[in-house]
């Protein structure tokens, strides 16, 4: 009996060693995707926006399977959970912007899922199949003024994204009071629109999701490689537009 158990355990250990972390992660994400598809969007004021391009449109920089799971499982779950959290409460009548602005007064279920919904809705629009390059016009001038050069901006933004411990986001924001651009990061699904202590507030112009589910299938634990790839798919036209709105607002 002992010998048989020893051989069985040894075989399981050998098999486990042959299964890569990427395959294990893929299996886990597939499970999440199946569960999310089986879960209808709860009745409520918030809905899942359609992805504005095909799942494979950002390849080779961001793979199709990651985009499918990220949108159809993770983002969908934030929307469903947010609708559940506000159902039958005064918050049900508040807009997403109002929920973010009052995040310090909200329970975790509303704060986290409202942030997750807004952050991802924002994120999809910042990516483009023919993205990359550099900003132009007034935004390019502001980046040069506030950071010294586009390369310096890129260096600071990369540092914010790669040094964020655990899960979270890196942001380029417009600080209206200071009249300048700034780079910051937030934990979990918090963002610069929230009235939370320790958060540098401002209007988000660019955001990068550095949760592992955003990159692990392709890049595993190599977050810097994912951040580097992100610069190839930035929709600078959208960032430029948001900057123009932020200056006028």
């Amino acid at each position: 009996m002992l010998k048989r158990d020893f051989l069985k355990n040894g075989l399981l250990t050998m098999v486990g060693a042959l299964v890569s972390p990427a395959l294990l992660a893929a299996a886990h994400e597939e499970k999440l995707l199946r569960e999310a598809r089986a879960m209808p969007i709860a009745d409520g004021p918030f809905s899942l926006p359609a992805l504005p391009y095909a799942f494979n449109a950002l390849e080779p920089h961001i793979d199709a399977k990651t985009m499918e799971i990220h949108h159809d499982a993770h983002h969908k779950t934030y929307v469903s959970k947010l609708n559940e959290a506000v159902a039958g409460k005064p918050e049900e009548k508040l807009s997403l912007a109002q929920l973010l602005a009052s995040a310090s007064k909200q329970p975790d279920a509303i704060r986290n899922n409202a942030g997750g919904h807004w952050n991802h809705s924002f994120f999809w629009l910042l990516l483009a199949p023919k993205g990359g390059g550099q900003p132009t016009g007034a935004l390019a001038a502001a980046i040069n003024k506030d950071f010294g050069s586009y390369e310096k901006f890129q260096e600071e933004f990369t540092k914010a994204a790669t040094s964020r411990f655990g899960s979270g986001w890196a942001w380029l924001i417009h600080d209206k009071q200071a009249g300048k651009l700034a780079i910051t990061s937030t934990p979990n699904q918090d963002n610069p629109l929230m009235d939370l202590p320790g958060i540098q507030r401002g209007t988000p112009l660019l955001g990068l999701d550095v949760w592992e589910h955003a990159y692990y299938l392709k890049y595993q634990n190599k977050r810097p490689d994912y951040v580097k790839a992100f610069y190839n798919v930035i929709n600078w036209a959208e960032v430029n537009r948001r900057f123009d709105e932020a200056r006028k607002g």
Side-chain angles (χ1 to χ4, degrees):
M1 178 67 73
L2 290 175
K3 183 176 180 180
R4 185 165 66 248
D5 289 344
F6 175 78
L7 292 173
K8 178 182 178 182
N9 291 336
L11 180 60
L12 289 174
T13 300
M14 291 174 62
V15 171
L18 294 174
V19 180
S20 71
L23 289 176
L24 291 174
H28 173 67
E29 298 289 3
E30 285 287 0
K31 180 174 180 291
L32 286 178
L33 186 56
R34 290 195 301 272
E35 291 173 350
R37 284 174 172 164
M39 176 178 62
I41 293 288
D43 291 338
F46 304 104
S47 59
L48 180 70
L51 200 67
Y53 32 74
F55 293 130
N56 66 353
L58 305 179
E59 290 190 340
H61 309 293
I62 303 178
D63 61 286
K65 181 55 66 177
T66 291
M67 291 301 297
E68 180 184 10
I69 294 167
H70 201 170
H71 179 270
D72 286 11
H74 292 282
H75 190 176
K76 181 182 179 182
T77 299
Y78 287 123
V79 176
S80 294
K81 295 296 184 183
L82 177 58
N83 283 331
E84 291 173 9
V86 301
K89 300 176 182 176
E91 288 81 7
E92 190 173 25
K93 300 183 183 301
L94 297 181
S95 68
L96 192 54
Q98 289 172 320
L99 290 177
L100 298 180
S102 61
S104 64
K105 304 176 183 65
Q106 302 298 340
D108 287 347
I110 293 179
R111 166 186 166 179
N112 293 336
N113 289 298
H117 179 28
W118 191 93
N119 292 350
H120 285 86
S121 300
F122 178 68
F123 186 53
W124 308 136
L125 299 177
L126 300 174
L127 308 175
K130 295 182 180 180
Q134 296 187 18
T136 57
L139 178 58
I143 285 176
N144 288 333
K145 177 176 72 72
D146 295 333
F147 301 107
S149 67
Y150 174 77
E151 290 73 23
K152 287 291 185 182
F153 150 76
Q154 195 174 48
E155 182 180 323
E156 287 192 36
F157 191 86
T158 296
K159 182 178 179 180
T162 55
S163 63
R164 164 51 59 185
F165 182 78
S167 301
W169 291 74
W171 305 95
L172 171 67
I173 64 172
H174 178 253
D175 184 334
K176 187 174 182 179
Q177 286 190 329
K180 61 187 296 185
L181 302 175
I183 290 171
T184 186
S185 71
T186 55
N188 303 314
Q189 293 297 348
D190 293 346
N191 67 49
L193 297 173
M194 293 179 169
D195 64 333
L196 297 170
I199 285 184
Q200 184 174 0
R201 301 191 71 186
T203 302
L205 305 177
L206 181 67
L208 176 57
D209 187 347
V210 294
W211 282 62
E212 284 192 343
H213 65 238
Y215 61 87
Y216 201 81
L217 294 184
K218 181 176 178 66
Y219 296 100
Q220 288 82 56
N221 64 332
K222 303 179 183 67
R223 186 190 291 184
D225 290 352
Y226 160 69
V227 176
K228 183 178 179 181
F230 169 68
Y231 292 108
N232 294 304
V233 291
I234 293 176
N235 183 356
W236 282 113
E238 178 67 14
V239 184
N240 284 335
R241 184 187 69 78
R242 289 179 178 271
F243 178 61
D244 289 340
E245 287 186 353
R247 289 191 301 154
K248 297 172 184 175

